Amino acid sequence: MPEGKGLLIIYTGPGKGKTTCALGTAFRAVGQGLRVLMVQFIKGSWHYGELDAAKLLGNDKIEIRPMGRGFVKIGGAETDPEDVRLCEQAWQFSLEQISSGRYDLVILDEINYVISYGMLDPEKVTAALAARPEQVHVICTGRNAHPRLVELADLVTEMREVKHPYTKGILAQRGIDY
Ligand code: ATP
Ligand code: MG
C-alpha cells in the first residue's frame, strides 16, 4: 500500500464528537507538519474555541473558514435560497482548496448535514471528491452521511449517543461544546 494515500474520512451519527474528532485529527496532522484547512458549512451561533486555538497555532498551520450563517432555516419549502447560495459558495471554495496543493488535510465540517437537507447535490460532491488529487486527506462531518459518500469513503465512524448532558437539561459548556 502506498504511504501517501489521501483518505476520505467520514464522522457521522447522532452522538456528540464529530467536529471535535475532526479537530483532533487536525491537531495531530499539524504536529506532523501537514497543512490543514477546515471549511465550516454551518457556522454556529457561538464563538467556537477552535477559531482562537487555530490562530494560536498560526494561520499557515491550520486555517478555519466559517462560510455559513449563524442560523440556518432548512427543510422543505422553508429552505432559504440565501443559505443554498452560501452553501454552494462554500462547496466551490472547498473544491478549489482541495485541488490547490496548498493543503494536506481539508475538513468539510457539517457537509453531511447540508447534503441531507438537499442544499448540496450528493452525486456532485461524491464525483468531485473521487477525482481529487490523490494525496489529499478529506474529512466530512455531520449527521446522516449520504450513502454514496459512505460508499466512496475509506474510513467511516458513526458516533452513537449513549448519554448526553442535554437530556438532563444541562446546556452547552464553554470549552467542551464551543
Ligand atoms: P462536537 O462539535 O461537540 O464534536 P458534533 O459535531 O458531533 O459535536 P453536531 O451535530 O455538529 O455535533 O452538533 C453541534 C452541537 O450540538 C454541539 O454543541 C454539541 O455539543 C451538540 N450535540 C451534539 N450531539 C448532541 C446530542 N446527541 N444531543 C444534544 N446535543 C448534541
Ligand atoms: Mg459538528
Side-chain angles (χ1 to χ4, degrees):
M1 286 293 276
E3 244 237 73
K5 188 208 178 310
L7 299 176
L8 178 61
I9 300 170
I10 297 179
Y11 298 129
T12 191
K16 174 178 161 66
K18 300 171 289 293
T19 297
T20 46
C21 188
L23 287 167
T25 310
F27 191 74
R28 174 176 286 172
V30 165
Q32 294 286 3
L34 274 59
R35 296 152 306 168
V36 182
L37 170 70
M38 176 186 258
V39 179
Q40 296 176 321
F41 280 75
I42 295 174
K43 184 166 149 277
S45 38
W46 288 301
H47 187 87
Y48 286 82
E50 53 263 39
L51 292 169
D52 294 324
K55 281 188 198 130
L56 289 175
L57 285 171
N59 234 353
D60 55 327
K61 305 274 192 303
I62 171 164
E63 199 180 329
I64 302 183
R65 293 284 290 255
M67 294 194 73
R69 284 201 289 188
F71 297 92
V72 206
K73 219 177 167 194
I74 40 180
E78 285 184 47
T79 305
D80 188 332
E82 177 62 6
D83 284 326
V84 176
R85 196 187 64 77
L86 286 172
C87 201
E88 187 56 39
Q89 212 173 53
W91 166 243
Q92 287 307 327
F93 174 78
S94 303
L95 208 49
E96 280 166 31
Q97 301 309 312
I98 289 168
S99 311
S100 71
R102 272 199 288 277
Y103 300 101
D104 304 294
L105 167 62
V106 178
I107 299 164
L108 307 175
D109 190 42
E110 310 302 346
I111 192 171
N112 296 332
Y113 187 82
V114 297
I115 289 172
S116 78
Y117 276 94
M119 296 165 72
L120 262 187
D121 176 12
E123 296 299 332
K124 187 174 76 174
V125 172
T126 307
L129 290 181
R132 77 188 186 281
E134 66 175 355
Q135 76 285 0
V136 181
H137 301 292
V138 173
I139 302 179
C140 298
T141 83
R143 295 173 184 218
N144 303 316
H146 195 275
R148 295 282 289 122
L149 217 52
V150 169
E151 193 188 347
L152 179 70
D154 302 292
L155 192 168
V156 181
T157 298
E158 194 168 71
M159 273 53 176
R160 181 169 68 91
E161 184 185 323
V162 178
K163 274 181 148 185
H164 195 289
Y166 188 75
T167 56
K168 284 196 286 187
I170 301 170
L171 300 179
Q173 298 295 307
R174 184 167 64 94
I176 300 294
D177 292 296
Y178 62 95

